[in-house]
Amino acid sequence: MKYSLEKRALEKQQSDCIVLPLFEDLQLSPAANYVDQSSGNNITKIVERKDFDAKAGSTMLLSSESEQHTRILLMGLGKQDAFNPATLKKSVLAATNVVKNTQTKTALFALSGITLPDYSSAWLARFSIEAISDALYVFDEFKTQKADKVTLDAVSFYCGEDIDDALVEQAIKEGSAIASGVSVTKTLGNLPGNICTPTYLAEKAKVIAKNNNAISTTVLDEKKMASLGMHSLLSVSAGSEEPAQLIVMEYKGGNASDRPHILVGKGITFDSGGISLKPGEAMDEMKYDMCGAASVFGTMTAIAELQPAINVTAIIAAAENMPDGKATKPGDIVTTLSGQTVEILNTDAEGRLVLCDALTYAEQHHNPASIVDIATLTGACIIALGHHTTGLLGNDDSLADELLNAGTKAADKAWRLPLFDEYQTQLDSNFADMQNIGGRPAGTITAACFLSRFAKEMKWAHLDIAGTAWTSGKNKGATGRPVPMLTQYLLNKAG
Ligand code: BES
Ligand code: MN
Ligand code: ZN
């Protein structure tokens, strides 16, 4: 999809479909007024008859009598005083769903006269692009009957005369880079476990490096990991026919000497629970247990497109968690790369076992300025925060604040949970330095407590995306979160 800024004046504009936003007070914007006058006052009549309620998500498609636009789509935005990024996205998503079922090739969103509280007007275009891309996303690789091809191939935004073109153009760039990243993340997440294996992810990372001069990829195989001493990570793949992979992607946009900001992704391509086997219901959803890794791939995609002046290193701990004669058993004790020993009481608490070695590897080999891990780590996080908010924990207040702020700005929110020392004793083991589970209370916090023991010397934060990475039920699928937050965080870092 081509996204651009419409710089022509209202009289010069042309499109197959002009999208006109309306709040519930039904006041026409200058653009809507102009189109109304050149189209037989169609819109005024509808407004006067109160035939359109303008609720967020309602739309009305009109055939236009104007020479300039073939179609007019009224897009409801809801109540003006309740307007926020989420309602904007909901509205644009609904509008795009209508447009994509017409023969429209070029759509023009006339966003002039609308402002989002706390945001400059450029953000309207950025959030709109994210919503448009969301509406147009299809995953039909495994359908023999493909979805109908959508004719829409160019979207432009009119933001009025008194705007800073460069600012909006930058927002459009960021919006489309984030949208590409989100789409990469969704597709990796949606791929089934028999296709998207640790080896598949490693190949994917090599392709990314091949297509981007600023990115290089290195992959450590099981032999290499064993020689380094990553026995915790390897204990997870022990029961699988699929070998684990430690994937490192380095983006160099800053000075060679700048320490990198590191993203570590949990890449469990299928989590059966291992010997501590999960119940059968909805077990298919455990193919999404690599969504942390997928979000790191998505963020690297966005970063490669935007080329910020910063160094970013991605580390993916990829493995499949399966039961087998060679699988790790409850009670087994392993030595981590850090030297600390772990009594594995539940093989289903495998995410922390791969992440701990990845964290130590990052510390030993990549000298991070900051490190953020992203993981579908605990069912408990869904109980605590539901599906709207990502869990955030960490050992550094300023890093945590930077992530929270980036999430708020990018409309991809997180909420911090405490990491008080008191919780650490839940990990005490009779036989090893620690055990890998902390009991039922505060499951998200004790999981993070476990990770914190491997991040003591680093500025570290942990994002638990168990509730936000995918949607269950009839419309199940990966969401692409938290790519917007992570990309925003890194763009802010680059200044
Ligand atoms: N991948 C799961 C966490 C998960 C569960 C994410 C459901 C999304 C939906 C993780 O590996 C896991 O199994 N965690 C266990 C930990 C427990 C054994 C301490 C959990 O949350 O039940
Ligand atoms: Mn598990
Ligand atoms: Zn898992």
Side-chain angles (χ1 to χ4, degrees):
M1 184 65 52
K2 284 189 292 289
Y3 295 104
S4 61
L5 176 64
E6 173 60 87
K7 293 184 187 167
R8 295 172 294 185
L10 288 168
E11 314 79 62
K12 298 270 169 60
Q13 296 173 3
Q14 275 196 317
S15 76
D16 296 342
C17 183
I18 183 162
V19 182
L20 298 171
L22 267 180
F23 286 110
E24 281 179 35
D25 63 8
L26 301 176
Q27 294 298 312
L28 300 195
S29 69
N33 255 321
Y34 173 81
V35 175
D36 186 43
Q37 279 159 28
S38 56
S39 182
N41 296 103
N42 237 341
I43 305 172
T44 319
K45 284 177 200 153
I46 287 165
V47 163
E48 277 170 0
R49 293 182 197 130
K50 297 205 164 62
D51 281 344
F52 183 61
D53 64 13
K55 293 211 174 355
S58 32
T59 55
M60 186 180 275
L61 181 66
L62 310 169
S63 183
S64 157
E65 287 158 38
S66 114
E67 305 266 288
Q68 295 173 247
H69 307 286
T70 316
R71 300 170 189 81
I72 298 171
L73 181 65
L74 303 183
M75 172 172 82
L77 295 179
K79 292 204 168 38
Q80 179 139 27
D81 54 13
F83 190 52
N84 61 34
T87 46
L88 172 66
K89 283 189 183 178
K90 183 178 171 188
S91 309
V92 174
L93 188 94
T96 311
N97 279 330
V98 173
V99 172
K100 80 176 181 196
N101 289 322
T102 67
Q103 294 302 309
T104 297
K105 285 202 184 99
T106 59
L108 167 58
F109 282 74
L111 301 174
S112 58
I114 294 165
T115 48
L116 267 173
D118 305 325
Y119 292 89
S120 71
S121 66
W123 284 79
L124 288 162
R126 168 152 159 196
F127 287 135
S128 297
I129 291 171
E130 290 180 39
I132 292 165
S133 170
D134 204 19
L136 297 177
Y137 177 80
V138 275
F139 182 73
D140 60 2
E141 256 181 86
F142 300 96
K143 298 259 195 199
T144 47
Q145 296 279 37
K146 302 294 178 198
D148 290 339
K149 259 225 156 331
V150 173
T151 51
L152 183 68
D153 69 2
V155 174
S156 58
F157 299 96
Y158 175 65
C159 300
E161 310 288 326
D162 49 356
I163 54 150
D164 181 341
D165 284 1
L167 220 66
V168 184
E169 277 168 343
Q170 180 60 24
I172 289 175
K173 257 195 203 154
E174 290 176 5
S176 29
I178 289 170
S180 318
V182 163
S183 160
V184 163
T185 301
K186 283 184 188 173
T187 296
L188 284 174
N190 289 336
L191 282 170
N194 60 330
I195 304 287
C196 183
T197 59
T199 306
Y200 179 93
L201 290 178
E203 291 307 318
K204 182 91 193 161
K206 287 177 193 160
V207 171
I208 290 182
K210 210 168 165 191
N211 296 335
N212 292 282
N213 289 332
I215 296 185
S216 58
T217 292
T218 331
V219 178
L220 277 61
D221 62 11
E222 288 197 341
K223 200 166 150 229
K224 179 75 189 163
M225 286 190 266
S227 75
L228 291 173
M230 304 180 82
H231 303 298
S232 180
L233 191 156
L234 291 170
S235 76
V236 174
S237 63
S240 171
E241 294 290 320
E242 295 292 339
Q245 311 280 346
L246 189 80
I247 305 161
V248 182
M249 284 178 276
E250 289 171 274
Y251 165 80
K252 292 244 153 67
N255 297 321
S257 61
D258 291 349
R259 294 163 73 191
H261 295 281
I262 299 193
L263 303 178
V264 178
K266 171 179 174 184
I268 301 297
T269 59
F270 189 75
D271 179 15
S272 70
I275 297 296
S276 314
L277 193 65
K278 285 184 179 294
E281 198 189 323
M283 206 208 257
D284 65 289
E285 294 191 8
M286 282 301 126
K287 72 173 185 179
Y288 295 117
D289 211 17
M290 35 60 71
C291 280
S295 75
V296 174
F297 273 95
T299 303
M300 291 306 266
T301 307
I303 290 301
E305 214 168 298
L306 295 169
Q307 306 268 319
I310 184 178
N311 293 338
V312 182
T313 299
I315 300 181
I316 309 291
E320 188 185 62
N321 187 21
M322 295 291 274
D324 178 71
K326 289 203 175 70
T328 298
K329 305 170 292 298
D332 286 0
I333 295 179
V334 294
T335 303
T336 62
L337 177 59
S338 73
Q340 301 175 89
T341 57
V342 178
E343 183 186 14
I344 300 175
L345 290 182
N346 190 322
T347 63
D348 197 12
E350 84 299 336
R352 61 199 79 179
L353 295 175
V354 299
L355 290 172
C356 70
D357 277 349
L359 288 170
T360 305
Y361 180 81
E363 177 178 295
Q364 291 179 350
H365 297 268
H366 290 276
N367 193 22
S370 71
I371 187 159
V372 181
D373 75 74
I374 307 99
T376 48
L377 204 62
T378 62
C381 192
I382 310 177
I383 305 303
L385 295 172
H387 297 286
H388 303 293
T389 312
T390 293
L392 165 65
L393 301 102
N395 63 10
D396 187 88
D397 290 344
S398 55
L399 174 59
D401 285 343
E402 286 169 31
L403 287 161
L404 287 174
N405 293 337
T408 304
K409 200 72 195 177
D412 181 11
K413 285 181 289 217
W415 193 258
R416 193 169 177 189
L417 299 174
L419 199 63
F420 300 133
D421 276 344
E422 288 89 324
Y423 293 98
Q424 292 282 356
T425 54
Q426 287 177 241
L427 297 174
D428 288 350
S429 157
N430 286 1
F431 303 114
D433 296 343
M434 69 194 89
Q435 58 189 39
N436 77 327
I437 53 172
R440 298 258 295 161
T444 303
I445 296 174
T446 54
C449 282
F450 183 94
L451 297 176
S452 73
R453 297 173 179 219
F454 301 85
K456 287 199 192 98
E457 307 303 321
M458 303 183 280
K459 283 188 185 179
W460 159 78
H462 159 64
L463 296 171
D464 194 329
I465 58 167
T468 51
W470 77 86
T471 313
S472 307
K474 204 173 158 347
N475 291 318
K476 66 186 167 195
T479 60
R481 293 180 67 181
V483 170
M485 179 204 312
L486 291 172
T487 308
Q488 188 62 44
Y489 157 72
L490 292 170
L491 290 177
N492 291 349
K493 281 267 174 221

